Amino acid sequence: RPDRKAAILVPPDWKVPRWELTDKQRRVLEAVKDAADESGVSHIGYRSMADNAGVSPGGIVAHIDALDRKGYLEIVAIGTSTAPSSFRAFPEGNGPKGYSRRHPLSS
């Protein structure tokens, strides 16, 4: 943290822990991967994503937010009522973490 001046020693063999995904989060990630184009970006609406993943449309935002925080999903662009949102999936969890940047849904 920037407000602390103490150094933290990290062992050289330490690895960043991988987040475990719930079954629903895994299905949402698969829905995004299945909708990807050749550039790896998925242009898919939230309702369509919920239908493809078999989760409720009301809960899809929470699953997307969790995947973003965990580094499995990047929100590239937020859609509108007529245009789908754009996402990039990172199946290994090595994408940008939502905690380290301003979240586009929290405007």
Side-chain angles (χ1 to χ4, degrees):
R1 292 181 14 185
D3 61 328
R4 294 190 180 170
K5 302 296 180 198
I8 298 173
L9 298 177
V10 178
D13 60 343
W14 184 80
K15 300 217 184 302
V16 176
R18 287 198 50 174
W19 292 90
E20 293 297 321
L21 298 181
T22 66
D23 183 48
K24 290 180 181 180
Q25 289 170 355
R26 197 170 309 286
R27 291 194 318 243
V28 169
L29 185 61
E30 287 298 319
V32 171
K33 286 185 346 187
D34 291 346
D37 60 16
E38 60 278 351
S39 68
V41 175
S42 302
H43 306 284
I44 185 170
Y46 281 39
R47 181 172 297 281
S48 176
M49 187 186 311
D51 290 344
N52 292 343
V55 299
S56 70
I60 193 70
V61 173
H63 296 303
I64 291 169
D65 187 48
L67 289 167
D68 180 45
R69 279 193 325 268
K70 294 177 179 182
Y72 285 89
L73 189 72
E74 178 185 16
I75 303 169
V76 177
I78 301 298
T80 64
S81 60
T82 57
S85 298
S86 299
F87 303 93
R88 183 173 287 117
F90 295 89
E92 300 300 317
N94 58 350
K97 304 281 191 270
Y99 285 130
S100 62
R101 58 186 170 81
R102 185 173 172 271
H103 196 287
L105 292 178
S106 62
S107 300

